[in-house]
Amino acid sequence: MTLDELPLGQSARVLKLSGSSTVRRRLMEMGITTSATIEAIRRAPLGDPLDVKVRGYHLSLRKDEAASVEIEQLSLPGTFPVEPAKL
């Protein structure tokens, strides 16, 4: 899953940065590094840019930049994965 697919209000952990070296370096300079926790806050009406919260501050990322951030979605506190009902 990539950051541009993260539902609003959900948190995730950054697994990997892909794309050109320029984009990766820019994302790392903004605080988006491996293992950082990131939260999707809001999207512009047309879906670009995406407002995220990382390391206590807000960033606006273009959709193509967010697509170069591979993430692992974190479960909400107190929730558990839902298993299908057994018949």
Side-chain angles (χ1 to χ4, degrees):
M1 174 181 232
T2 57
L3 183 56
D4 63 323
E5 300 167 336
L6 185 65
L8 296 179
Q10 297 291 311
S11 295
R13 181 177 25 251
V14 177
L15 297 177
K16 179 181 168 185
L17 300 175
S18 58
S20 69
S21 61
T22 306
V23 171
R24 286 193 318 262
R25 185 178 66 238
R26 184 171 182 269
L27 291 171
M28 287 189 287
E29 288 173 350
M30 290 189 289
I32 301 174
T33 58
T34 305
S35 300
T37 302
I38 194 164
E39 180 183 357
I41 303 297
R42 63 181 154 237
R43 284 187 174 82
L46 297 176
D48 196 20
L50 170 66
D51 180 30
V52 297
K53 188 173 182 180
V54 62
R55 301 185 188 273
Y57 62 94
H58 291 260
L59 291 174
S60 287
L61 297 175
R62 296 181 189 119
K63 197 171 186 176
D64 61 333
E65 292 171 334
S68 66
V69 180
E70 293 182 31
I71 59 169
E72 172 186 41
Q73 189 170 351
L74 302 175
S75 60
L76 296 173
T79 61
F80 301 98
V82 178
E83 294 182 18
K86 295 181 182 178
L87 299 175

